[in-house]
Amino acid sequence: DEVLTGAATDVKVRVPGGTFKRAIRLNETNPLEPAPAEQRWLAPGVGFIKERAKGVKAVLIATSLNGQEVVEE
């Protein structure tokens, strides 16, 4: 079973889809696998913005809501 833990809050994350100053970073571990923790970053009002795992790196490229760019204040 995977376990999610909050690793950091108010993290500044820069991805192609923007810069987010209040992101949180979550670590996902699995006690049955010795691999390093997967990391996910989430931004308020946006959700997923970045992920890093063994062999995987994903980032938010762009985001919009009703045709308007989402910008963190």
Side-chain angles (χ1 to χ4, degrees):
D1 292 332
E2 286 90 17
V3 177
L4 282 174
T5 55
T9 59
D10 292 327
V11 176
K12 183 176 180 181
V13 179
R14 183 174 290 138
V15 295
T19 299
F20 302 90
K21 300 175 187 168
R22 297 178 296 135
I24 62 169
R25 187 182 80 225
L26 300 175
N27 288 340
E28 180 180 322
T29 57
N30 184 334
L32 302 176
E33 296 179 14
E38 295 180 10
Q39 296 179 316
R40 294 189 183 129
W41 288 261
L42 306 168
V46 177
F48 167 85
I49 55 172
K50 184 176 177 180
E51 179 177 2
R52 186 180 306 143
K54 185 177 180 182
V56 175
K57 183 177 178 184
V59 295
L60 179 70
I61 301 297
T63 186
S64 66
L65 180 63
N66 296 325
Q68 300 294 313
E69 181 181 0
V70 176
V71 178
E72 184 181 48
E73 299 292 328

mmCIF file of all heavy atoms in Angstrom, residues 7-56:
data_model
loop_
_atom_site.group_PDB
_atom_site.id
_atom_site.type_symbol
_atom_site.label_atom_id
_atom_site.label_comp_id
_atom_site.label_asym_id
_atom_site.label_seq_id
_atom_site.Cartn_x
_atom_site.Cartn_y
_atom_site.Cartn_z
ATOM 1 N N ALA A 7 5.437 16.605 2.691
ATOM 2 C CA ALA A 7 6.858 16.821 2.918
ATOM 3 C C ALA A 7 7.201 18.293 3.089
ATOM 4 O O ALA A 7 8.129 18.625 3.810
ATOM 5 C CB ALA A 7 7.667 16.225 1.767
ATOM 6 N N ALA A 8 6.468 19.176 2.412
ATOM 7 C CA ALA A 8 6.790 20.609 2.489
ATOM 8 C C ALA A 8 5.581 21.422 2.046
ATOM 9 O O ALA A 8 4.803 20.989 1.198
ATOM 10 C CB ALA A 8 7.993 20.937 1.616
ATOM 11 N N THR A 9 5.449 22.612 2.620
ATOM 12 C CA THR A 9 4.390 23.535 2.219
ATOM 13 C C THR A 9 5.015 24.864 1.828
ATOM 14 O O THR A 9 6.175 25.140 2.137
ATOM 15 C CB THR A 9 3.378 23.754 3.366
ATOM 16 O OG1 THR A 9 4.080 24.287 4.493
ATOM 17 C CG2 THR A 9 2.686 22.457 3.752
ATOM 18 N N ASP A 10 4.227 25.685 1.149
ATOM 19 C CA ASP A 10 4.693 27.001 0.682
ATOM 20 C C ASP A 10 5.971 26.893 -0.143
ATOM 21 O O ASP A 10 6.906 27.687 0.007
ATOM 22 C CB ASP A 10 4.891 27.973 1.852
ATOM 23 C CG ASP A 10 3.574 28.349 2.502
ATOM 24 O OD1 ASP A 10 2.558 28.413 1.773
ATOM 25 O OD2 ASP A 10 3.538 28.567 3.718
ATOM 26 N N VAL A 11 5.997 25.909 -1.021
ATOM 27 C CA VAL A 11 7.152 25.666 -1.881
ATOM 28 C C VAL A 11 6.990 26.462 -3.173
ATOM 29 O O VAL A 11 5.906 26.509 -3.748
ATOM 30 C CB VAL A 11 7.265 24.160 -2.208
ATOM 31 C CG1 VAL A 11 8.401 23.889 -3.165
ATOM 32 C CG2 VAL A 11 7.413 23.351 -0.947
ATOM 33 N N LYS A 12 8.055 27.091 -3.627
ATOM 34 C CA LYS A 12 8.032 27.792 -4.913
ATOM 35 C C LYS A 12 8.457 26.803 -5.993
ATOM 36 O O LYS A 12 9.533 26.214 -5.914
ATOM 37 C CB LYS A 12 8.983 28.983 -4.900
ATOM 38 C CG LYS A 12 8.945 29.792 -6.176
ATOM 39 C CD LYS A 12 9.850 31.011 -6.062
ATOM 40 C CE LYS A 12 9.823 31.832 -7.341
ATOM 41 N NZ LYS A 12 10.718 32.995 -7.234
ATOM 42 N N VAL A 13 7.584 26.612 -6.980
ATOM 43 C CA VAL A 13 7.846 25.660 -8.061
ATOM 44 C C VAL A 13 7.677 26.380 -9.390
ATOM 45 O O VAL A 13 6.654 27.026 -9.631
ATOM 46 C CB VAL A 13 6.882 24.456 -7.998
ATOM 47 C CG1 VAL A 13 7.154 23.489 -9.126
ATOM 48 C CG2 VAL A 13 6.977 23.761 -6.658
ATOM 49 N N ARG A 14 8.684 26.268 -10.240
ATOM 50 C CA ARG A 14 8.628 26.868 -11.571
ATOM 51 C C ARG A 14 8.556 25.740 -12.596
ATOM 52 O O ARG A 14 9.426 24.877 -12.630
ATOM 53 C CB ARG A 14 9.864 27.727 -11.812
ATOM 54 C CG ARG A 14 9.839 28.446 -13.158
ATOM 55 C CD ARG A 14 11.009 29.403 -13.293
ATOM 56 N NE ARG A 14 10.782 30.529 -12.372
ATOM 57 C CZ ARG A 14 11.719 31.086 -11.620
ATOM 58 N NH1 ARG A 14 12.947 30.647 -11.647
ATOM 59 N NH2 ARG A 14 11.439 32.093 -10.829
ATOM 60 N N VAL A 15 7.479 25.733 -13.388
ATOM 61 C CA VAL A 15 7.281 24.774 -14.471
ATOM 62 C C VAL A 15 6.865 25.560 -15.710
ATOM 63 O O VAL A 15 6.538 26.747 -15.603
ATOM 64 C CB VAL A 15 6.209 23.708 -14.102
ATOM 65 C CG1 VAL A 15 6.677 22.842 -12.945
ATOM 66 C CG2 VAL A 15 4.871 24.353 -13.776
ATOM 67 N N PRO A 16 6.866 24.950 -16.895
ATOM 68 C CA PRO A 16 6.464 25.698 -18.092
ATOM 69 C C PRO A 16 5.079 26.341 -17.978
ATOM 70 O O PRO A 16 4.825 27.380 -18.578
ATOM 71 C CB PRO A 16 6.492 24.641 -19.190
ATOM 72 C CG PRO A 16 7.520 23.662 -18.729
ATOM 73 C CD PRO A 16 7.357 23.613 -17.234
ATOM 74 N N GLY A 17 4.201 25.763 -17.179
ATOM 75 C CA GLY A 17 2.850 26.299 -17.014
ATOM 76 C C GLY A 17 2.760 27.469 -16.061
ATOM 77 O O GLY A 17 1.688 28.029 -15.851
ATOM 78 N N GLY A 18 3.876 27.874 -15.438
ATOM 79 C CA GLY A 18 3.860 29.023 -14.540
ATOM 80 C C GLY A 18 4.742 28.813 -13.323
ATOM 81 O O GLY A 18 5.356 27.768 -13.148
ATOM 82 N N THR A 19 4.770 29.824 -12.472
ATOM 83 C CA THR A 19 5.498 29.757 -11.209
ATOM 84 C C THR A 19 4.472 29.811 -10.093
ATOM 85 O O THR A 19 3.620 30.694 -10.070
ATOM 86 C CB THR A 19 6.495 30.924 -11.079
ATOM 87 O OG1 THR A 19 7.441 30.831 -12.151
ATOM 88 C CG2 THR A 19 7.239 30.871 -9.755
ATOM 89 N N PHE A 20 4.563 28.860 -9.186
ATOM 90 C CA PHE A 20 3.590 28.737 -8.101
ATOM 91 C C PHE A 20 4.341 28.848 -6.777
ATOM 92 O O PHE A 20 5.273 28.097 -6.525
ATOM 93 C CB PHE A 20 2.849 27.407 -8.217
ATOM 94 C CG PHE A 20 2.144 27.258 -9.528
ATOM 95 C CD1 PHE A 20 2.793 26.689 -10.614
ATOM 96 C CD2 PHE A 20 0.861 27.726 -9.697
ATOM 97 C CE1 PHE A 20 2.152 26.574 -11.848
ATOM 98 C CE2 PHE A 20 0.208 27.622 -10.917
ATOM 99 C CZ PHE A 20 0.864 27.048 -11.986
ATOM 100 N N LYS A 21 3.944 29.819 -5.941
ATOM 101 C CA LYS A 21 4.668 30.122 -4.710
ATOM 102 C C LYS A 21 4.136 29.388 -3.492
ATOM 103 O O LYS A 21 4.806 29.337 -2.473
ATOM 104 C CB LYS A 21 4.618 31.623 -4.447
ATOM 105 C CG LYS A 21 5.247 32.445 -5.546
ATOM 106 C CD LYS A 21 5.054 33.914 -5.287
ATOM 107 C CE LYS A 21 5.530 34.719 -6.483
ATOM 108 N NZ LYS A 21 5.114 36.102 -6.383
ATOM 109 N N ARG A 22 2.938 28.850 -3.569
ATOM 110 C CA ARG A 22 2.332 28.221 -2.393
ATOM 111 C C ARG A 22 2.045 26.741 -2.613
ATOM 112 O O ARG A 22 1.095 26.199 -2.086
ATOM 113 C CB ARG A 22 1.045 28.954 -2.025
ATOM 114 C CG ARG A 22 1.291 30.410 -1.626
ATOM 115 C CD ARG A 22 0.003 31.155 -1.306
ATOM 116 N NE ARG A 22 -0.826 31.247 -2.512
ATOM 117 C CZ ARG A 22 -2.132 30.996 -2.527
ATOM 118 N NH1 ARG A 22 -2.766 30.650 -1.443
ATOM 119 N NH2 ARG A 22 -2.808 31.095 -3.657
ATOM 120 N N ALA A 23 2.895 26.077 -3.369
ATOM 121 C CA ALA A 23 2.690 24.658 -3.666
ATOM 122 C C ALA A 23 3.012 23.804 -2.441
ATOM 123 O O ALA A 23 3.713 24.240 -1.531
ATOM 124 C CB ALA A 23 3.566 24.236 -4.841
ATOM 125 N N ILE A 24 2.486 22.597 -2.455
ATOM 126 C CA ILE A 24 2.857 21.616 -1.441
ATOM 127 C C ILE A 24 3.528 20.440 -2.145
ATOM 128 O O ILE A 24 3.233 20.141 -3.298
ATOM 129 C CB ILE A 24 1.651 21.118 -0.613
ATOM 130 C CG1 ILE A 24 0.617 20.418 -1.491
ATOM 131 C CG2 ILE A 24 1.019 22.256 0.165
ATOM 132 C CD1 ILE A 24 -0.439 19.684 -0.712
ATOM 133 N N ARG A 25 4.470 19.821 -1.443
ATOM 134 C CA ARG A 25 5.131 18.643 -1.985
ATOM 135 C C ARG A 25 4.731 17.434 -1.153
ATOM 136 O O ARG A 25 4.803 17.466 0.076
ATOM 137 C CB ARG A 25 6.649 18.792 -1.947
ATOM 138 C CG ARG A 25 7.346 17.639 -2.679
ATOM 139 C CD ARG A 25 8.849 17.726 -2.614
ATOM 140 N NE ARG A 25 9.280 17.222 -1.316
ATOM 141 C CZ ARG A 25 10.180 17.804 -0.534
ATOM 142 N NH1 ARG A 25 10.755 18.928 -0.901
ATOM 143 N NH2 ARG A 25 10.514 17.278 0.618
ATOM 144 N N LEU A 26 4.294 16.400 -1.848
ATOM 145 C CA LEU A 26 3.926 15.149 -1.194
ATOM 146 C C LEU A 26 4.917 14.075 -1.589
ATOM 147 O O LEU A 26 5.342 14.004 -2.747
ATOM 148 C CB LEU A 26 2.526 14.709 -1.628
ATOM 149 C CG LEU A 26 1.376 15.676 -1.334
ATOM 150 C CD1 LEU A 26 0.085 15.155 -1.941
ATOM 151 C CD2 LEU A 26 1.218 15.864 0.163
ATOM 152 N N ASN A 27 5.284 13.235 -0.643
ATOM 153 C CA ASN A 27 6.111 12.068 -0.922
ATOM 154 C C ASN A 27 5.227 10.831 -0.853
ATOM 155 O O ASN A 27 4.444 10.685 0.090
ATOM 156 C CB ASN A 27 7.238 11.928 0.098
ATOM 157 C CG ASN A 27 8.306 12.967 -0.074
ATOM 158 O OD1 ASN A 27 8.438 13.578 -1.126
ATOM 159 N ND2 ASN A 27 9.084 13.192 0.958
ATOM 160 N N GLU A 28 5.343 9.973 -1.842
ATOM 161 C CA GLU A 28 4.589 8.717 -1.847
ATOM 162 C C GLU A 28 5.588 7.579 -1.707
ATOM 163 O O GLU A 28 6.515 7.446 -2.513
ATOM 164 C CB GLU A 28 3.803 8.547 -3.140
ATOM 165 C CG GLU A 28 3.008 7.260 -3.174
ATOM 166 C CD GLU A 28 2.228 7.081 -4.454
ATOM 167 O OE1 GLU A 28 1.701 8.085 -4.979
ATOM 168 O OE2 GLU A 28 2.154 5.948 -4.931
ATOM 169 N N THR A 29 5.424 6.796 -0.668
ATOM 170 C CA THR A 29 6.310 5.661 -0.440
ATOM 171 C C THR A 29 5.498 4.374 -0.409
ATOM 172 O O THR A 29 4.293 4.393 -0.174
ATOM 173 C CB THR A 29 7.076 5.802 0.889
ATOM 174 O OG1 THR A 29 6.126 5.946 1.946
ATOM 175 C CG2 THR A 29 8.010 6.990 0.873
ATOM 176 N N ASN A 30 6.178 3.285 -0.669
ATOM 177 C CA ASN A 30 5.567 1.969 -0.593
ATOM 178 C C ASN A 30 6.522 1.092 0.203
ATOM 179 O O ASN A 30 7.638 0.840 -0.241
ATOM 180 C CB ASN A 30 5.347 1.389 -1.994
ATOM 181 C CG ASN A 30 4.629 0.068 -1.967
ATOM 182 O OD1 ASN A 30 4.683 -0.679 -0.993
ATOM 183 N ND2 ASN A 30 3.943 -0.251 -3.047
ATOM 184 N N PRO A 31 6.103 0.646 1.378
ATOM 185 C CA PRO A 31 7.000 -0.137 2.222
ATOM 186 C C PRO A 31 7.456 -1.443 1.572
ATOM 187 O O PRO A 31 8.443 -2.022 1.982
ATOM 188 C CB PRO A 31 6.193 -0.408 3.482
ATOM 189 C CG PRO A 31 4.858 0.175 3.288
ATOM 190 C CD PRO A 31 4.823 0.891 1.984
ATOM 191 N N LEU A 32 6.763 -1.890 0.541
ATOM 192 C CA LEU A 32 7.123 -3.134 -0.131
ATOM 193 C C LEU A 32 8.158 -2.930 -1.226
ATOM 194 O O LEU A 32 8.681 -3.888 -1.783
ATOM 195 C CB LEU A 32 5.875 -3.796 -0.721
ATOM 196 C CG LEU A 32 4.759 -4.118 0.288
ATOM 197 C CD1 LEU A 32 3.548 -4.672 -0.424
ATOM 198 C CD2 LEU A 32 5.260 -5.067 1.358
ATOM 199 N N GLU A 33 8.447 -1.664 -1.569
ATOM 200 C CA GLU A 33 9.418 -1.363 -2.622
ATOM 201 C C GLU A 33 10.544 -0.501 -2.052
ATOM 202 O O GLU A 33 10.278 0.507 -1.412
ATOM 203 C CB GLU A 33 8.740 -0.610 -3.774
ATOM 204 C CG GLU A 33 7.672 -1.421 -4.473
ATOM 205 C CD GLU A 33 6.997 -0.633 -5.590
ATOM 206 O OE1 GLU A 33 7.522 0.426 -5.993
ATOM 207 O OE2 GLU A 33 5.946 -1.079 -6.042
ATOM 208 N N PRO A 34 11.787 -0.886 -2.297
ATOM 209 C CA PRO A 34 12.907 -0.112 -1.759
ATOM 210 C C PRO A 34 13.233 1.158 -2.553
ATOM 211 O O PRO A 34 14.113 1.902 -2.175
ATOM 212 C CB PRO A 34 14.069 -1.104 -1.848
ATOM 213 C CG PRO A 34 13.721 -1.979 -3.009
ATOM 214 C CD PRO A 34 12.209 -2.079 -2.994
ATOM 215 N N ALA A 35 12.520 1.403 -3.645
ATOM 216 C CA ALA A 35 12.792 2.573 -4.497
ATOM 217 C C ALA A 35 12.592 3.861 -3.709
ATOM 218 O O ALA A 35 11.816 3.906 -2.751
ATOM 219 C CB ALA A 35 11.882 2.555 -5.717
ATOM 220 N N PRO A 36 13.270 4.942 -4.111
ATOM 221 C CA PRO A 36 13.050 6.243 -3.463
ATOM 222 C C PRO A 36 11.592 6.678 -3.611
ATOM 223 O O PRO A 36 10.879 6.225 -4.504
ATOM 224 C CB PRO A 36 13.962 7.192 -4.235
ATOM 225 C CG PRO A 36 14.896 6.325 -5.005
ATOM 226 C CD PRO A 36 14.239 4.999 -5.178
ATOM 227 N N ALA A 37 11.201 7.570 -2.727
ATOM 228 C CA ALA A 37 9.826 8.066 -2.748
ATOM 229 C C ALA A 37 9.526 8.804 -4.042
ATOM 230 O O ALA A 37 10.386 9.490 -4.595
ATOM 231 C CB ALA A 37 9.593 8.998 -1.558
ATOM 232 N N GLU A 38 8.292 8.636 -4.509
ATOM 233 C CA GLU A 38 7.817 9.475 -5.610
ATOM 234 C C GLU A 38 7.445 10.822 -5.007
ATOM 235 O O GLU A 38 6.994 10.898 -3.865
ATOM 236 C CB GLU A 38 6.586 8.842 -6.260
ATOM 237 C CG GLU A 38 6.875 7.526 -6.930
ATOM 238 C CD GLU A 38 5.639 6.907 -7.571
ATOM 239 O OE1 GLU A 38 4.591 7.587 -7.659
ATOM 240 O OE2 GLU A 38 5.722 5.741 -7.963
ATOM 241 N N GLN A 39 7.645 11.889 -5.752
ATOM 242 C CA GLN A 39 7.315 13.215 -5.258
ATOM 243 C C GLN A 39 6.287 13.854 -6.184
ATOM 244 O O GLN A 39 6.403 13.746 -7.408
ATOM 245 C CB GLN A 39 8.555 14.095 -5.181
ATOM 246 C CG GLN A 39 9.572 13.577 -4.191
ATOM 247 C CD GLN A 39 10.800 14.448 -4.136
ATOM 248 O OE1 GLN A 39 11.321 14.867 -5.165
ATOM 249 N NE2 GLN A 39 11.256 14.751 -2.935
ATOM 250 N N ARG A 40 5.308 14.506 -5.587
ATOM 251 C CA ARG A 40 4.280 15.234 -6.339
ATOM 252 C C ARG A 40 4.137 16.621 -5.747
ATOM 253 O O ARG A 40 4.182 16.796 -4.541
ATOM 254 C CB ARG A 40 2.941 14.505 -6.239
ATOM 255 C CG ARG A 40 2.952 13.183 -6.917
ATOM 256 C CD ARG A 40 1.556 12.592 -6.976
ATOM 257 N NE ARG A 40 1.661 11.285 -7.585
ATOM 258 C CZ ARG A 40 1.158 10.186 -7.078
ATOM 259 N NH1 ARG A 40 0.485 10.232 -5.960
ATOM 260 N NH2 ARG A 40 1.308 9.030 -7.687
ATOM 261 N N TRP A 41 3.949 17.591 -6.631
ATOM 262 C CA TRP A 41 3.719 18.970 -6.214
ATOM 263 C C TRP A 41 2.321 19.375 -6.664
ATOM 264 O O TRP A 41 1.928 19.132 -7.804
ATOM 265 C CB TRP A 41 4.752 19.899 -6.843
ATOM 266 C CG TRP A 41 6.126 19.762 -6.276
ATOM 267 C CD1 TRP A 41 6.694 20.575 -5.332
ATOM 268 C CD2 TRP A 41 7.126 18.806 -6.613
ATOM 269 N NE1 TRP A 41 7.975 20.163 -5.066
ATOM 270 C CE2 TRP A 41 8.274 19.072 -5.844
ATOM 271 C CE3 TRP A 41 7.166 17.713 -7.497
ATOM 272 C CZ2 TRP A 41 9.428 18.316 -5.920
ATOM 273 C CZ3 TRP A 41 8.326 16.954 -7.577
ATOM 274 C CH2 TRP A 41 9.433 17.256 -6.795
ATOM 275 N N LEU A 42 1.581 20.016 -5.776
ATOM 276 C CA LEU A 42 0.225 20.483 -6.050
ATOM 277 C C LEU A 42 0.144 21.967 -5.700
ATOM 278 O O LEU A 42 0.744 22.405 -4.714
ATOM 279 C CB LEU A 42 -0.791 19.714 -5.206
ATOM 280 C CG LEU A 42 -0.735 18.193 -5.308
ATOM 281 C CD1 LEU A 42 -1.570 17.551 -4.215
ATOM 282 C CD2 LEU A 42 -1.214 17.739 -6.667
ATOM 283 N N ALA A 43 -0.603 22.725 -6.516
ATOM 284 C CA ALA A 43 -0.777 24.159 -6.269
ATOM 285 C C ALA A 43 -2.242 24.448 -5.983
ATOM 286 O O ALA A 43 -3.129 23.881 -6.634
ATOM 287 C CB ALA A 43 -0.309 24.968 -7.471
ATOM 288 N N PRO A 44 -2.525 25.342 -5.029
ATOM 289 C CA PRO A 44 -3.901 25.708 -4.715
ATOM 290 C C PRO A 44 -4.624 26.255 -5.940
ATOM 291 O O PRO A 44 -4.081 27.069 -6.683
ATOM 292 C CB PRO A 44 -3.762 26.796 -3.645
ATOM 293 C CG PRO A 44 -2.385 26.659 -3.106
ATOM 294 C CD PRO A 44 -1.561 26.076 -4.212
ATOM 295 N N GLY A 45 -5.828 25.780 -6.168
ATOM 296 C CA GLY A 45 -6.641 26.252 -7.281
ATOM 297 C C GLY A 45 -6.271 25.658 -8.624
ATOM 298 O O GLY A 45 -6.940 25.897 -9.615
ATOM 299 N N VAL A 46 -5.185 24.890 -8.666
ATOM 300 C CA VAL A 46 -4.717 24.305 -9.922
ATOM 301 C C VAL A 46 -4.669 22.786 -9.820
ATOM 302 O O VAL A 46 -5.126 22.073 -10.677
ATOM 303 C CB VAL A 46 -3.319 24.849 -10.311
ATOM 304 C CG1 VAL A 46 -2.793 24.185 -11.568
ATOM 305 C CG2 VAL A 46 -3.381 26.357 -10.488
ATOM 306 N N GLY A 47 -4.094 22.280 -8.741
ATOM 307 C CA GLY A 47 -3.904 20.841 -8.580
ATOM 308 C C GLY A 47 -2.504 20.445 -8.988
ATOM 309 O O GLY A 47 -1.539 21.153 -8.714
ATOM 310 N N PHE A 48 -2.385 19.309 -9.678
ATOM 311 C CA PHE A 48 -1.091 18.750 -10.059
ATOM 312 C C PHE A 48 -0.287 19.739 -10.900
ATOM 313 O O PHE A 48 -0.784 20.304 -11.864
ATOM 314 C CB PHE A 48 -1.319 17.474 -10.867
ATOM 315 C CG PHE A 48 -0.090 16.977 -11.577
ATOM 316 C CD1 PHE A 48 0.808 16.173 -10.924
ATOM 317 C CD2 PHE A 48 0.164 17.338 -12.885
ATOM 318 C CE1 PHE A 48 1.948 15.731 -11.569
ATOM 319 C CE2 PHE A 48 1.302 16.898 -13.546
ATOM 320 C CZ PHE A 48 2.193 16.094 -12.875
ATOM 321 N N ILE A 49 0.992 19.952 -10.518
ATOM 322 C CA ILE A 49 1.870 20.780 -11.343
ATOM 323 C C ILE A 49 3.188 20.073 -11.686
ATOM 324 O O ILE A 49 3.834 20.427 -12.662
ATOM 325 C CB ILE A 49 2.167 22.158 -10.713
ATOM 326 C CG1 ILE A 49 2.739 22.023 -9.306
ATOM 327 C CG2 ILE A 49 0.928 23.029 -10.726
ATOM 328 C CD1 ILE A 49 3.222 23.335 -8.703
ATOM 329 N N LYS A 50 3.572 19.072 -10.881
ATOM 330 C CA LYS A 50 4.844 18.405 -11.146
ATOM 331 C C LYS A 50 4.870 17.048 -10.451
ATOM 332 O O LYS A 50 4.288 16.882 -9.387
ATOM 333 C CB LYS A 50 5.990 19.281 -10.611
ATOM 334 C CG LYS A 50 7.379 18.779 -10.879
ATOM 335 C CD LYS A 50 8.403 19.802 -10.374
ATOM 336 C CE LYS A 50 9.826 19.317 -10.546
ATOM 337 N NZ LYS A 50 10.791 20.304 -10.054
ATOM 338 N N GLU A 51 5.572 16.101 -11.082
ATOM 339 C CA GLU A 51 5.766 14.783 -10.471
ATOM 340 C C GLU A 51 7.152 14.269 -10.823
ATOM 341 O O GLU A 51 7.629 14.465 -11.937
ATOM 342 C CB GLU A 51 4.724 13.787 -10.965
ATOM 343 C CG GLU A 51 4.904 12.403 -10.384
ATOM 344 C CD GLU A 51 3.833 11.419 -10.812
ATOM 345 O OE1 GLU A 51 2.950 11.785 -11.608
ATOM 346 O OE2 GLU A 51 3.890 10.283 -10.344
ATOM 347 N N ARG A 52 7.780 13.623 -9.870
ATOM 348 C CA ARG A 52 9.086 12.998 -10.100
ATOM 349 C C ARG A 52 9.035 11.607 -9.463
ATOM 350 O O ARG A 52 8.757 11.473 -8.273
ATOM 351 C CB ARG A 52 10.193 13.814 -9.466
ATOM 352 C CG ARG A 52 11.579 13.279 -9.812
ATOM 353 C CD ARG A 52 12.703 14.081 -9.178
ATOM 354 N NE ARG A 52 12.596 15.501 -9.484
ATOM 355 C CZ ARG A 52 12.904 16.471 -8.639
ATOM 356 N NH1 ARG A 52 13.331 16.194 -7.436
ATOM 357 N NH2 ARG A 52 12.795 17.735 -8.997
ATOM 358 N N ALA A 53 9.298 10.604 -10.276
ATOM 359 C CA ALA A 53 9.324 9.219 -9.815
ATOM 360 C C ALA A 53 10.392 8.482 -10.613
ATOM 361 O O ALA A 53 10.932 9.017 -11.585
ATOM 362 C CB ALA A 53 7.954 8.562 -10.012
ATOM 363 N N LYS A 54 10.681 7.282 -10.222
ATOM 364 C CA LYS A 54 11.693 6.499 -10.929
ATOM 365 C C LYS A 54 11.296 6.362 -12.398
ATOM 366 O O LYS A 54 10.263 5.801 -12.731
ATOM 367 C CB LYS A 54 11.826 5.124 -10.288
ATOM 368 C CG LYS A 54 12.929 4.298 -10.889
ATOM 369 C CD LYS A 54 13.073 2.968 -10.190
ATOM 370 C CE LYS A 54 14.199 2.177 -10.833
ATOM 371 N NZ LYS A 54 14.318 0.860 -10.206
ATOM 372 N N GLY A 55 12.114 6.941 -13.283
ATOM 373 C CA GLY A 55 11.861 6.848 -14.716
ATOM 374 C C GLY A 55 10.772 7.772 -15.237
ATOM 375 O O GLY A 55 10.433 7.738 -16.407
ATOM 376 N N VAL A 56 10.207 8.630 -14.364
ATOM 377 C CA VAL A 56 9.101 9.506 -14.782
ATOM 378 C C VAL A 56 9.344 10.926 -14.282
ATOM 379 O O VAL A 56 9.717 11.136 -13.134
ATOM 380 C CB VAL A 56 7.750 9.013 -14.196
ATOM 381 C CG1 VAL A 56 6.633 9.983 -14.526
ATOM 382 C CG2 VAL A 56 7.419 7.623 -14.665
#
